[in-house]
């Protein structure tokens, strides 16, 4: 699904595990974990037809989890579908701060060449305290030799996994589960979608499967496609800058191409960068934004109004008073309808719920104009439905109890034919147009496979509304039967037969994480109009010409690729290339071979034929051409090594390439040497063994410029002093100018450039063919103060280490703020000093820097510590990649001082006012809770001067801890928990020997899951000996200030381990709290059951440093 080089922090990325720092050998030597594994086989090849999935669940209980010191660990092997599998985990993360987990083909090393197998699978880390918080993630993959494992690099944060109170690590044991369903499939790589189905797919750019499924759906609505083709565009438009042209181009290629189509031009026309393509968004949101954008672009054209004609329907919102004659209504349009999935069995029950009448009565009466508060009915009815009905199924919902998004995987049915006139048109308003028959047929089913944090999208479509369904899954299109497109996308659970009942009597239920997410229906009466014919005459001529030309170029490249083995590419570097490149594109070595002239020559042709081509290209007669072979030296430089011998020039091009090129690539690199006489005509020349070919670069310290000035043959026994006049001539200096000569020896990993003794012979200085001599005027006495780099070595050192860094404010991590040219060798102090100077800040120690994560394209979670790295290069390296981005913050105090401080966010709950204020408390790390409370007292308003405070740890509306005053603050984590400060009530200060301090929490029962969900602010209450519920209720009502009418609806229960035991008014409350068999005090509490009517507070705590959800935007 996605490439392995980006890992998303906000969006789940599925990748082959690709280690960056450890090898299999390391793992083999590692001390193994203690494991207990079991497999529940759900079916075998014998028990099911070959085309149905064979499914199994594997449980891996990993004991002594935290004692494992290795980088990765494999589970035992288990078998599904006749194949061997195992789970691969990285307990400390695969070079990320998340637990990493993959499904691995256990015997991949021993399988035959070209093997592949397909599996849908779910990986889970079990929550051993509350099963419902178990983390599941699922995906599907075609496993092969290149990708023999697949899964989740960022499965879950390590901080959650290793926190025992979260429930994933209990008694140093972690339980991992894998559910695997194997399907026999045809070879993925050899499959030809066009040949098999007549349709082609769309390439995935990283995480654009959600967009691909929508684009295929829209493309297969012919009326929509025709309208896109008829949007005015011109031959001067560029697809990357014009949404209409990019969409026309994409649709044309889908219609006429033989292979899968790229979407990069379209996303560029949206104004997206690469990062946007690796962000997984919402199909519904993209659909709305794209249709709005097209609607806008169609205005004033022949296709104006197409979007409305296809997708727009209308409904009426009404409120009707029961006892007086008053009705209010408002007409609204819609392009799609959002239907509830939760609590609804099918599309019809969702529509029933949509038009359900709500009664406004009691406290919720309607204020009618001139009639005051009145009992009323409120609802929605439809005026008309569109020809193309888009139904968005609400598979994702916000769970207020858990403060997170959840995916609803419940079973939800949808019909092939949808009759919205059923039951005498009960969905229609009285004044609706009933002349149109609202009978619809299903056109497409968009599917989401996975969880709330990510997954995969694909679509089942009937392009011609025939019986045949097709699955459009990125690049791959397959024929599918109706059952797979319909029933298998209902969701819910599938119960599979047990083959070994004695092993485990519980029937194995396999949750279907793949289910319908969007449905597209086409009205029967509009079918002919919508499913019209679209052919070449609908496509503008300039578009046809442009796209045919693109196709021809593609075919030409394809042909070249197919014939590549018959040809050799010869890259010829000349003096002219060196002059153009040195000092601009390159500084070290002589030439970038990617930027020189290339000749594509048939391998069997003699080398003399190539020389004739060169003569035609450059006008240099064959007899004056001398070619040198290049060689890579041991010090990693690349220089001309020797001229071709006469016998070599008689060989074929292919033979010569093999002689010269040990790396066996298809290229032959040559340097063309041409000697010119005084009349600038070429001269033939012989090279003796005593001749050395040297290349010369000139350095100007005043301008900080380096340039190529030419090459010379020198005698091995000659001396540099003999060629000084010639060099001065080449440089344009006076004949007697004093110059210094340096040899450029190497530049990786460090620069080596040494002065040449002009009195020694060239041989004594170890100079040979292809060496580079840099020279300059002899440095003046004032150079050290007048110029930055007075000599060649210092300049080359500067060039080698210079680095342009793009700085971004940490508050706006997507936008470059400013750029600075720095040196990779700059110290930490150098860098922050330059940043401070740029920002006009006097104190550089108030700058805090954060490195860039090259994979997620976001700031790393932890900032760089004060002087925590030696050099700029250390700040920029991320595993094996080097970034050029740093993030900065301006602190209110110096960073060295801040690093000895701990900052805590504390929510102060006022004793008498219903208000909560967040305070940042910053104290030395060795401070105690007592210091926090004393600091807080200076910032908050107390009910009395003698009031005492305490600090609580609150998580998911439960109190987990009352902090002792002596506890050190250094290890307190307020990133996930809420720290709450409050006054200690007087009654708690005078608690009697038989009184009990109990936890009191608000709760509701989830009607669908029959589970308890806590909400609101938990609190502590003193329960006196023998106190009945009636007495306790009075005190709770007084404390919470709840009106009598509302309080009368509340229920009270003793709750232990999430099981409620409802209390009667006469029950003695302290008697319930005698038991001691609980996991923690927070698991045994007095529960107040009522609906959550409190408004949500306008503050948020526990926000991770860089978590934000990006909306879909189309910028152009």
């Amino acid at each position: 699904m996605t490439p392995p080089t980006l890992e998303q922090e906000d969006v789940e990325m599925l990748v082959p595990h690709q280690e960056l720092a450890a090898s299999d050998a390391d793992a083999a030597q590692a001390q193994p974990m203690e494991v207990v594994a079991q497999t529940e086989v759900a079916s075998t090849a014998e028990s099911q037809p070959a085309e149905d999935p064979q499914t199994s669940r594997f449980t891996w209980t990993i004991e002594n989890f935290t004692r494992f010191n290795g980088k990765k660990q494999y589970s035992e092997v288990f078998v599904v579908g006749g194949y061997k599998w195992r789970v691969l985990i990285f307990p400390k993360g695969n070079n990320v701060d998340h637990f990493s987990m993959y499904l691995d083909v256990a015997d991949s090393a021993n399988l035959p060449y070209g093997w592949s197998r397909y599996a849908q699978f779910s990986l889970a880390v079990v929550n051993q305290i509350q099963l419902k918080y178990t983390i599941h993630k699922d995906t599907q993959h075609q496993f092969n030799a290149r990708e023999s494992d697949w899964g989740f690099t960022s499965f879950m944060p390590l901080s959650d996994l290793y926190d025992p109170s979260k429930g994933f690590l209990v008694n140093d044991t972690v339980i991992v589960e894998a559910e695997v369903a194997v399907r026999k499939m045809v070879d993925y790589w050899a499959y030809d979608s066009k040949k098999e189905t007549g349709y082609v797919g769309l390439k995935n750019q990283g995480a654009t499967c959600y967009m691909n499924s929508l684009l295929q759906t829209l493309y297969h609505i012919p009326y929509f496609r025709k309208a896109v083709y008829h949007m005015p565009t011109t031959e001067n438009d560029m697809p990357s800058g014009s949404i209409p042209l990019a969409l026309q181009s994409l649709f044309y290629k889908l219609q006429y191409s033989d292979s899968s189509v790229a979407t990069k031009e379209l996303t560029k026309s949206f104004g997206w960068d690469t990062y946007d393509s690796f962000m997984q968004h919402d199909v519904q949101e993209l659909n709305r934004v794209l249709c709005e954008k097209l609607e806008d672009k169609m205005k004033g054209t022949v296709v104006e109004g197409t979007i409305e004609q296809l997708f727009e329907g209308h409904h009426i919102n009404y409120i009707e008073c029961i006892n007086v004659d008053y009705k209010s209504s408002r007409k609204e349009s819609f392009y799609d309808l959002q239907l509830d999935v939760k609590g609804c069995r099918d599309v019809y029950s969702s529509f029933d719920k949509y038009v359900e009448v709500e009664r406004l009565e009691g406290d919720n009466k309607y204020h009618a104009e001139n009639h005051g508060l009145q009992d009323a009915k409120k609802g929605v009815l439809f005026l008309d439905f569109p020809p193309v009905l888009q139904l968005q199924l609400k598979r994702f919902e916000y769970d207020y109890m858990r403060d997170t998004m959840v995916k609803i995987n419940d079973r939800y049915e949808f019909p092939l034919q949808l009759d919205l006139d059923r039951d005498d048109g009960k969905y229609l308003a009285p004044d609706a147009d009933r002349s149109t028959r609202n009978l619809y047929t299903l056109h497409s089913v968009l599917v989401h496979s996975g969880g709330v944090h990510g997954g995969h999208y694909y679509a089942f479509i009937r392009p011609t509304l025939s019986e045949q369904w097709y699955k459009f899954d990125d690049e791959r299109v397959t024929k599918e039967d109706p059952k797979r497109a319909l029933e298998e996308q209902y969701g819910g659970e599938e119960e599979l037969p047990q083959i070994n009942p004695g092993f485990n009597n519980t029937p194995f239920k396999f949750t279907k994480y793949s289910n319908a997410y969007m449905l597209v229906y086409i009205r029967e009466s509009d079918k002919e109009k919508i499913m019209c014919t679209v052919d070449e005459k609908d496509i503008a001529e300039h578009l046809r010409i442009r796209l045919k030309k693109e196709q021809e170029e593609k075919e030409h490249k394809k042909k070249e690729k197919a014939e590549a083995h018959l040809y050799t590419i010869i890259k010829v570097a000349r003096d002219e290339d060196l002059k153009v490149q040195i000092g601009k594109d390159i500084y070290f070595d002589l030439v970038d071979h990617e930027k020189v002239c290339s000749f594509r020559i048939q391998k069997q042709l003699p080398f003399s034929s190539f020389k004739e081509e060169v003569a035609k290209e450059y006008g240099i007669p064959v007899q004056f051409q001398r070619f040198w072979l290049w060689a890579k030296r041991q010090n990693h430089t690349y220089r001309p090594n020797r001229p071709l011998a006469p016998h070599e020039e008689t060989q074929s091009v292919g033979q010569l390439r093999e002689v010269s090129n040990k790396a066996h690539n298809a290229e032959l690199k040559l340097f063309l040497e041409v000697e010119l006489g005084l009349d600038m005509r070429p001269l033939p020349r012989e090279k003796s063994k005593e001749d050395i070919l040297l290349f010369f670069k000139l350095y100007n310290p005043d301008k900080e410029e380096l340039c190529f000035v030419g090459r010379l043959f020198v005698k091995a026994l000659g001396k540099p002093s003999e060629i000084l006049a010639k060099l001065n001539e080449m440089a344009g200096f006076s004949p007697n100018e004093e110059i210094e000569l340096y040899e450029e020896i190497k530049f990786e990993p460090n620069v080596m450039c040494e002065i040449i003794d002009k009195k020694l012979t060239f041989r004594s200085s170890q100079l040979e063919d292809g060496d580079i001599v840099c020279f300059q005027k002899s440095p003046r006495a004032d150079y050290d103060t007048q110029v930055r780099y007075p000599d060649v070595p210092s300049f080359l050192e500067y060039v080698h280490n210079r680095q342009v860094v793009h700085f971004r404010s940490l508050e706006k991590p997507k936008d470059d703020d400013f750029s600075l040219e720095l040196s990779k060798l700059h110290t930490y102090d150098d860098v922050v000093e330059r940043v401070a100077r740029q920002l006009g800040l006097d104190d550089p120690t108030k700058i805090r820097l954060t490195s860039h994560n090259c994979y997620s394209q976001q700031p790393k979670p932890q900032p760089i510590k004060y002087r925590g790295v030696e050099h700029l290069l250390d700040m920029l390296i991320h595993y094996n990649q080097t970034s050029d981005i740093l993030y900065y913050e301006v602190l209110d105090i110096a960073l060295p001082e801040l690093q000895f401080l701990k900052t805590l966010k504390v929510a102060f709950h006022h004793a008498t006012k219903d208000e909560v204020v967040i305070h940042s408390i910053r104290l030395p790390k060795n401070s105690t809770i007592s210091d926090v409370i004393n600091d807080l007292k200076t910032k908050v308003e107390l009910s009395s001067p003698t009031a005492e405070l305490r600090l609580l740890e609150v998580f998911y509306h439960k109190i987990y801890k009352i902090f002792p005053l002596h506890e050190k603050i250094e290890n307190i984590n307020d990133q996930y928990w809420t720290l709450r400060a409050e006054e200690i009530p007087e009654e708690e200060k005078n608690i009697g020997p038989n009184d009990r301090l109990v936890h009191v929490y608000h709760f509701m029962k989830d009607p669908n899951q029959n589970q308890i969900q806590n909400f609101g602010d938990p609190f502590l209450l003193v329960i006196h000996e023998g106190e009945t519920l009636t007495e306790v209720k009075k005190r709770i009502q007084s404390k919470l200030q709840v009106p009598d009418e509302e309080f009368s609806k509340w229920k009270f229960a003793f709750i232990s381990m999430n099981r409620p035991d409802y209390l009667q008014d006469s029950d003695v409350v302290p008697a319930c709290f005698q038991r001691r068999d609980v996991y923690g005090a927070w698991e045994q509490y007095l529960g107040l059951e009522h609906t959550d009517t409190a408004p949500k507070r306008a503050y948020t705590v526990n926000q991770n440093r860089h978590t934000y959800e990006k909306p879909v935007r189309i910028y152009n």
Side-chain angles (χ1 to χ4, degrees), residues 181-212:
V182 174
R183 264 205 186 108
K184 305 288 186 197
M185 286 189 71
V186 292
D187 178 17
Y188 187 88
W189 305 107
Y191 185 79
D192 184 332
S193 293
K194 184 81 168 190
K195 190 175 167 185
E196 298 293 332
T197 66
Y199 301 102
V200 296
L202 290 167
K203 289 177 181 170
N204 192 326
Q205 286 187 52
T208 55
C209 51
Y210 72 100
M211 180 181 73
N212 290 351

Side-chain angles (χ1 to χ4, degrees), residues 243-257:
I243 293 174
L245 184 58
L247 205 52
Q248 287 172 350
S249 173
L250 184 84
F251 282 4
Y252 181 91
K253 288 171 186 172
L254 281 174
Q255 195 161 343
Y256 294 106
S257 179

